[in-house]
Amino acid sequence: MAPVITCIEDLRRQFRRVTPTMFYDYCESGSYTEQTFRENVTDFDKLRFRQRVAVDMTNRTLKTTMLGNEVALPLALSPVGSTGMMRADGEIKAAKAALKYGVPFSLSTMSICSMEAVAEATQAPFWYQLYVMRDHEYTNNAVDRAKACGVSALIVTLDLQILGQRHKDLVNGLTAPPRPTLSAIADLSTRWRWGLEMLGTKNRSFGNIVGHAKDVGNLASLTSWANEQFDPRLDWDKVAQLRDRWGGKLILKGILDPEEARKAVELGADAIIVSNHGGRQLDGALSTIRVLPSIVREVKGEVEIWLDSGIRTGQDILKALALGADATMIGRAYIYGLGAMGERGVTTALDVLGKELDTTMALCGRRDIRDVNRDILLVPEDFEGRWADEPTVG
Ligand SMILES: Cc1cc2nc3c(=O)[nH]c(=O)nc-3n(C[C@H](O)[C@H](O)[C@H](O)COP(=O)(O)O)c2cc1C
């Protein structure tokens, strides 16, 4: 019997049941002690809503715009590497679900299905996320390929010049596709549906890289290439060069500080994603919902401010909007759905979040998502944290 899905947590449980441990763990972990990974979720719980009653609740709308285009919800799918390992052809399935629902989809540099394959399968524009690699020829080509694919906005991720370690990936010997070790075979043998679907697709390696980067023709060299190739020299000048080469809508991802939000505005970004990579990079960084107010104070109205990291409910989305975000993004929440039930699972995740958002907005006395503001929220006085100043010397 099909499981009853009431919330995103139900999808996570189902995802865990049907997915090889290596890929479940890859998704469901943060770097090092996982403090930031945990707090991304638990810090939303510190905020409360103000209930309003006897307000007409008819004719509600969740529609808004992102980069000038109408979206069904103030929500987009964040770029997630190896999505096509969570479920065969995962990027294509997620892109199709997003398209039908009316929210933007972002494709990762480290996706399994190539941007060309996603463009062909969906016949619709999507966003492409760029990791800047040491191999600048590869990076420049990726920008040109994105243009040729009709990609409608480029996301440059700024918070992954070097990799934060996720312990479980080392223990599991994570590779895409999995190497046939004894433990991997034992794991995969209990996930037969996943395996059967994988056998039915040719998309089983990093499609944006194999055949496009020098010296990467086979898988053995690919894993080391990916780990060694993120460019530690990435700086604002390089971002400006990419902006000029791309020439289209630009989204900067990984902004966690008002000073850098200001730089993004000066650089001409169309949107920033307030993100700590879902707690996968700087362990000990603040959760995004706690830094959001300081970024809103700095750049609200000058650039679109979107937030990801930790969103698991429609209530979380509403809290982010109330604190000043123009929209939100989700990573794991849709990956759980994809892994659990394929394209239908992504649609279910969007449905769950949309309904939670709609009901919560109504109970806060609002009918139009664009009218949501700080008035609906109760924020603890110390929510942003009162941090000691830098000690002065002498
Ligand atoms: C399994 C996984 C892989 C990810 N891969 C990428 C990636 O390739 N590029 C990127 O910019 N962000 C990547 N991210 C970060 C997401 O884009 C997003 O910032 C994060 O998932 C948001 O947190 P949430 O999962 O709590 O919603 C990844 C996140 C996860 C969970």
Side-chain angles (χ1 to χ4, degrees), residues 26-27 78-81 108 129 131 157 253 275 277-278 280 308-310 312 330-332:
Y26 167 67
C27 175
S78 292
V80 171
S108 161
Q129 175 265 327
Y131 277 135
T157 296
K253 178 169 187 281
S275 173
H277 219 101
R280 298 164 77 81
D308 81 11
S309 301
R312 302 287 183 272
I330 48 168
R332 296 182 182 86

Side-chain angles (χ1 to χ4, degrees), residues 39-195:
E39 289 182 359
N40 276 338
V41 174
T42 55
D43 281 348
F44 276 105
D45 297 341
K46 296 180 179 146
L47 300 166
R48 306 284 194 285
F49 293 113
R50 286 174 68 196
Q51 172 175 291
R52 309 317 296 262
V53 295
V55 179
D56 179 1
M57 287 183 186
T58 54
N59 297 326
R60 294 189 304 281
T61 177
L62 298 177
K63 284 194 188 134
T64 182
T65 58
M66 291 175 86
L67 298 180
N69 296 316
E70 189 175 278
V71 289
L73 297 175
L75 182 73
L77 305 193
S78 292
V80 171
S82 299
T83 294
M85 282 289 131
M86 307 298 171
R87 194 89 181 201
D89 297 329
E91 290 88 2
I92 291 174
K93 288 173 179 154
K96 283 185 173 170
L99 186 64
K100 287 180 200 153
Y101 207 88
V103 297
F105 170 76
S106 328
L107 186 75
S108 161
T109 290
M110 303 309 292
S111 62
I112 302 296
C113 300
S114 66
M115 56 179 122
E116 289 81 5
V118 175
E120 196 188 320
T122 58
Q123 298 287 314
F126 54 92
W127 299 342
Y128 183 68
Q129 175 265 327
L130 186 74
Y131 277 135
V132 177
M133 302 291 191
R134 284 175 204 260
D135 178 350
H136 286 182
E137 198 185 322
Y138 167 81
T139 305
N140 289 339
N141 280 342
V143 173
D144 298 345
R145 283 168 55 211
K147 274 192 224 171
C149 282
V151 161
S152 56
L154 186 73
I155 303 175
V156 178
T157 296
L158 299 173
D159 61 3
L160 200 140
Q161 281 154 283
I162 52 171
L163 268 181
Q165 177 172 305
R166 293 179 301 267
H167 301 329
K168 286 179 205 154
D169 292 350
L170 294 184
V171 173
N172 292 331
L174 176 76
T175 56
R179 266 193 295 268
T181 58
L182 273 181
S183 62
I185 291 167
D187 189 20
L188 295 181
S189 65
T190 60
R191 308 293 199 272
W192 54 270
R193 189 203 298 265
W194 179 94

Side-chain angles (χ1 to χ4, degrees), residues 92-337:
I92 291 174
K93 288 173 179 154
K96 283 185 173 170
L99 186 64
K100 287 180 200 153
Y101 207 88
V103 297
F105 170 76
S106 328
L107 186 75
S108 161
T109 290
M110 303 309 292
S111 62
I112 302 296
C113 300
S114 66
M115 56 179 122
E116 289 81 5
V118 175
E120 196 188 320
T122 58
Q123 298 287 314
F126 54 92
W127 299 342
Y128 183 68
Q129 175 265 327
L130 186 74
Y131 277 135
V132 177
M133 302 291 191
R134 284 175 204 260
D135 178 350
H136 286 182
E137 198 185 322
Y138 167 81
T139 305
N140 289 339
N141 280 342
V143 173
D144 298 345
R145 283 168 55 211
K147 274 192 224 171
C149 282
V151 161
S152 56
L154 186 73
I155 303 175
V156 178
T157 296
L158 299 173
D159 61 3
L160 200 140
Q161 281 154 283
I162 52 171
L163 268 181
Q165 177 172 305
R166 293 179 301 267
H167 301 329
K168 286 179 205 154
D169 292 350
L170 294 184
V171 173
N172 292 331
L174 176 76
T175 56
R179 266 193 295 268
T181 58
L182 273 181
S183 62
I185 291 167
D187 189 20
L188 295 181
S189 65
T190 60
R191 308 293 199 272
W192 54 270
R193 189 203 298 265
W194 179 94
L196 276 182
E197 281 189 15
M198 278 298 166
L199 288 175
T201 178
K202 58 183 185 339
N203 299 315
R204 290 201 288 263
S205 185
F206 295 101
N208 285 319
I209 293 174
V210 174
H212 296 285
K214 279 195 289 279
D215 306 329
V216 182
N218 66 57
L219 292 172
S221 62
L222 178 63
T223 311
S224 54
W225 187 88
N227 287 335
E228 290 159 13
Q229 279 295 317
F230 295 119
D231 190 352
R233 291 163 307 182
L234 171 63
D235 60 12
W236 291 102
D237 287 342
K238 179 69 192 167
V239 179
Q241 282 168 26
L242 287 167
R243 172 201 61 198
D244 295 343
R245 186 174 189 100
W246 165 245
K249 297 272 188 204
L250 180 70
I251 304 164
L252 296 182
K253 178 169 187 281
I255 302 289
L256 211 58
D257 191 285
E259 283 178 23
E260 282 156 4
R262 173 55 53 204
K263 287 214 179 87
V265 169
E266 285 165 5
L267 205 116
D270 296 282
I272 55 172
I273 308 176
V274 178
S275 173
N276 55 33
H277 219 101
R280 298 164 77 81
Q281 284 295 101
L282 178 61
D283 186 36
L286 283 177
S287 66
T288 52
I289 194 67
R290 284 182 83 185
V291 299
L292 178 64
S294 62
I295 290 177
V296 166
R297 281 195 295 276
E298 180 70 30
V299 297
K300 180 76 180 176
E302 298 182 68
V303 66
E304 290 189 35
I305 304 172
W306 305 338
L307 173 141
D308 81 11
S309 301
I311 291 180
R312 302 287 183 272
T313 65
Q315 295 87 305
D316 296 340
I317 297 174
L318 195 67
K319 287 171 181 175
L321 299 179
L323 283 184
D326 296 299
T328 58
M329 297 181 72
I330 48 168
R332 296 182 182 86
Y334 87 85
I335 293 292
Y336 299 158

